[in-house]
mmCIF file of all heavy atoms in Angstrom:
data_model
loop_
_atom_site.group_PDB
_atom_site.id
_atom_site.type_symbol
_atom_site.label_atom_id
_atom_site.label_comp_id
_atom_site.label_asym_id
_atom_site.label_seq_id
_atom_site.Cartn_x
_atom_site.Cartn_y
_atom_site.Cartn_z
ATOM 1 N N SER A 109 34.240 53.036 152.095
ATOM 2 C CA SER A 109 33.544 52.020 151.484
ATOM 3 C C SER A 109 32.043 52.369 151.492
ATOM 4 O O SER A 109 31.312 52.120 150.450
ATOM 5 C CB SER A 109 33.826 50.651 152.211
ATOM 6 O OG SER A 109 32.712 49.949 152.237
ATOM 7 N N PHE A 110 31.551 52.896 152.538
ATOM 8 C CA PHE A 110 30.129 53.282 152.651
ATOM 9 C C PHE A 110 29.742 54.477 151.699
ATOM 10 O O PHE A 110 28.851 54.428 150.854
ATOM 11 C CB PHE A 110 29.689 53.602 154.125
ATOM 12 C CG PHE A 110 28.236 54.043 154.230
ATOM 13 C CD1 PHE A 110 27.205 53.238 153.900
ATOM 14 C CD2 PHE A 110 27.992 55.346 154.660
ATOM 15 C CE1 PHE A 110 25.825 53.683 154.014
ATOM 16 C CE2 PHE A 110 26.668 55.807 154.778
ATOM 17 C CZ PHE A 110 25.654 55.000 154.404
ATOM 18 N N VAL A 111 30.500 55.544 151.900
ATOM 19 C CA VAL A 111 30.202 56.806 151.230
ATOM 20 C C VAL A 111 30.454 56.746 149.670
ATOM 21 O O VAL A 111 29.523 57.223 148.936
ATOM 22 C CB VAL A 111 31.168 57.981 151.830
ATOM 23 C CG1 VAL A 111 31.073 59.270 151.056
ATOM 24 C CG2 VAL A 111 30.763 58.150 153.257
ATOM 25 N N PHE A 112 31.584 56.164 149.308
ATOM 26 C CA PHE A 112 31.764 56.115 147.789
ATOM 27 C C PHE A 112 31.127 54.744 147.191
ATOM 28 O O PHE A 112 30.566 54.797 146.118
ATOM 29 C CB PHE A 112 33.254 56.121 147.477
ATOM 30 C CG PHE A 112 33.869 57.470 148.021
ATOM 31 C CD1 PHE A 112 35.058 57.430 148.742
ATOM 32 C CD2 PHE A 112 33.334 58.656 147.780
ATOM 33 C CE1 PHE A 112 35.589 58.610 149.224
ATOM 34 C CE2 PHE A 112 33.860 59.838 148.219
ATOM 35 C CZ PHE A 112 35.058 59.766 149.016
ATOM 36 N N GLY A 113 31.455 53.637 147.911
ATOM 37 C CA GLY A 113 30.985 52.323 147.386
ATOM 38 C C GLY A 113 29.454 52.272 147.411
ATOM 39 O O GLY A 113 28.776 52.079 146.320
ATOM 40 N N THR A 114 28.814 52.316 148.664
ATOM 41 C CA THR A 114 27.425 52.160 148.715
ATOM 42 C C THR A 114 26.596 53.334 148.276
ATOM 43 O O THR A 114 25.669 53.209 147.475
ATOM 44 C CB THR A 114 27.044 51.827 150.235
ATOM 45 O OG1 THR A 114 27.939 50.847 150.656
ATOM 46 C CG2 THR A 114 25.604 51.385 150.332
ATOM 47 N N CYS A 115 27.019 54.536 148.714
ATOM 48 C CA CYS A 115 26.226 55.753 148.424
ATOM 49 C C CYS A 115 26.481 56.454 147.132
ATOM 50 O O CYS A 115 25.761 57.235 146.645
ATOM 51 C CB CYS A 115 26.384 56.843 149.618
ATOM 52 S SG CYS A 115 26.168 56.192 151.181
ATOM 53 N N LYS A 116 27.675 56.122 146.548
ATOM 54 C CA LYS A 116 28.108 56.615 145.276
ATOM 55 C C LYS A 116 28.175 58.170 145.386
ATOM 56 O O LYS A 116 27.823 58.880 144.412
ATOM 57 C CB LYS A 116 27.136 56.321 144.178
ATOM 58 C CG LYS A 116 26.831 54.787 144.012
ATOM 59 C CD LYS A 116 27.996 54.065 143.175
ATOM 60 C CE LYS A 116 27.730 52.674 142.916
ATOM 61 N NZ LYS A 116 28.208 51.730 144.009
ATOM 62 N N ALA A 117 28.588 58.668 146.500
ATOM 63 C CA ALA A 117 28.750 60.088 146.674
ATOM 64 C C ALA A 117 29.991 60.585 145.895
ATOM 65 O O ALA A 117 30.926 59.801 145.750
ATOM 66 C CB ALA A 117 28.902 60.451 148.150
ATOM 67 N N GLU A 118 30.081 61.828 145.516
ATOM 68 C CA GLU A 118 31.210 62.426 144.835
ATOM 69 C C GLU A 118 32.045 63.176 145.902
ATOM 70 O O GLU A 118 31.486 63.903 146.747
ATOM 71 C CB GLU A 118 30.781 63.456 143.840
ATOM 72 C CG GLU A 118 30.039 62.914 142.613
ATOM 73 C CD GLU A 118 31.046 62.246 141.620
ATOM 74 O OE1 GLU A 118 32.165 62.741 141.521
ATOM 75 O OE2 GLU A 118 30.605 61.222 141.058
ATOM 76 N N PRO A 119 33.333 63.005 145.827
ATOM 77 C CA PRO A 119 34.174 63.750 146.857
ATOM 78 C C PRO A 119 34.308 65.287 146.375
ATOM 79 O O PRO A 119 35.337 65.656 146.008
ATOM 80 C CB PRO A 119 35.551 63.047 146.748
ATOM 81 C CG PRO A 119 35.582 62.418 145.389
ATOM 82 C CD PRO A 119 34.207 62.156 144.959
ATOM 83 N N ASN A 120 33.250 66.002 146.486
ATOM 84 C CA ASN A 120 33.271 67.364 145.949
ATOM 85 C C ASN A 120 33.179 68.397 147.083
ATOM 86 O O ASN A 120 32.778 69.518 146.770
ATOM 87 C CB ASN A 120 32.195 67.587 144.930
ATOM 88 C CG ASN A 120 30.786 67.200 145.404
ATOM 89 O OD1 ASN A 120 30.602 66.902 146.557
ATOM 90 N ND2 ASN A 120 29.811 67.067 144.541
ATOM 91 N N TRP A 121 33.493 68.037 148.265
ATOM 92 C CA TRP A 121 33.507 68.958 149.373
ATOM 93 C C TRP A 121 34.960 69.664 149.436
ATOM 94 O O TRP A 121 35.902 68.884 149.725
ATOM 95 C CB TRP A 121 33.115 68.377 150.697
ATOM 96 C CG TRP A 121 33.547 69.078 151.954
ATOM 97 C CD1 TRP A 121 34.515 68.724 152.759
ATOM 98 C CD2 TRP A 121 33.082 70.353 152.382
ATOM 99 N NE1 TRP A 121 34.658 69.621 153.838
ATOM 100 C CE2 TRP A 121 33.765 70.668 153.627
ATOM 101 C CE3 TRP A 121 32.135 71.244 152.008
ATOM 102 C CZ2 TRP A 121 33.565 71.733 154.356
ATOM 103 C CZ3 TRP A 121 31.863 72.393 152.778
ATOM 104 C CH2 TRP A 121 32.598 72.626 153.899
ATOM 105 N N ASN A 122 35.107 70.867 149.279
ATOM 106 C CA ASN A 122 36.334 71.548 149.583
ATOM 107 C C ASN A 122 36.082 73.006 149.886
ATOM 108 O O ASN A 122 34.907 73.441 149.531
ATOM 109 C CB ASN A 122 37.400 71.285 148.548
ATOM 110 C CG ASN A 122 36.960 71.938 147.223
ATOM 111 O OD1 ASN A 122 36.613 73.051 147.188
ATOM 112 N ND2 ASN A 122 37.146 71.105 146.163
ATOM 113 N N ILE A 123 36.976 73.731 150.451
ATOM 114 C CA ILE A 123 36.752 75.114 150.896
ATOM 115 C C ILE A 123 36.471 75.987 149.649
ATOM 116 O O ILE A 123 35.634 76.917 149.845
ATOM 117 C CB ILE A 123 37.915 75.576 151.756
ATOM 118 C CG1 ILE A 123 37.820 74.842 153.100
ATOM 119 C CG2 ILE A 123 37.924 77.070 151.863
ATOM 120 C CD1 ILE A 123 36.653 75.323 154.013
ATOM 121 N N LYS A 124 37.096 75.781 148.575
ATOM 122 C CA LYS A 124 36.843 76.673 147.448
ATOM 123 C C LYS A 124 35.441 76.580 146.994
ATOM 124 O O LYS A 124 34.778 77.633 146.782
ATOM 125 C CB LYS A 124 37.726 76.215 146.234
ATOM 126 C CG LYS A 124 39.145 76.778 146.265
ATOM 127 C CD LYS A 124 39.698 76.620 144.826
ATOM 128 C CE LYS A 124 41.077 77.418 144.805
ATOM 129 N NZ LYS A 124 42.257 76.605 144.927
ATOM 130 N N ASN A 125 34.863 75.325 146.924
ATOM 131 C CA ASN A 125 33.441 75.179 146.580
ATOM 132 C C ASN A 125 32.565 75.710 147.607
ATOM 133 O O ASN A 125 31.559 76.354 147.355
ATOM 134 C CB ASN A 125 33.146 73.691 146.396
ATOM 135 C CG ASN A 125 33.792 73.108 145.179
ATOM 136 O OD1 ASN A 125 34.235 73.838 144.341
ATOM 137 N ND2 ASN A 125 33.927 71.775 145.082
ATOM 138 N N PHE A 126 32.991 75.552 148.933
ATOM 139 C CA PHE A 126 32.180 76.154 150.011
ATOM 140 C C PHE A 126 32.068 77.622 149.806
ATOM 141 O O PHE A 126 30.984 78.238 149.934
ATOM 142 C CB PHE A 126 32.792 75.790 151.323
ATOM 143 C CG PHE A 126 32.299 76.507 152.492
ATOM 144 C CD1 PHE A 126 31.045 76.099 153.057
ATOM 145 C CD2 PHE A 126 32.770 77.670 152.940
ATOM 146 C CE1 PHE A 126 30.428 76.763 154.154
ATOM 147 C CE2 PHE A 126 32.142 78.432 154.055
ATOM 148 C CZ PHE A 126 30.998 77.903 154.605
ATOM 149 N N ILE A 127 33.195 78.321 149.597
ATOM 150 C CA ILE A 127 33.171 79.767 149.381
ATOM 151 C C ILE A 127 32.308 80.192 148.245
ATOM 152 O O ILE A 127 31.447 81.080 148.356
ATOM 153 C CB ILE A 127 34.653 80.368 149.312
ATOM 154 C CG1 ILE A 127 35.425 80.171 150.626
ATOM 155 C CG2 ILE A 127 34.631 81.809 148.936
ATOM 156 C CD1 ILE A 127 36.916 80.393 150.478
#
Side-chain angles (χ1 to χ4, degrees):
S109 148
F110 175 65
V111 171
F112 301 130
T114 312
C115 306
K116 309 275 185 271
E118 292 284 326
N120 52 11
W121 158 252
N122 63 49
I123 285 293
K124 274 198 176 100
N125 290 344
F126 169 83
I127 293 172

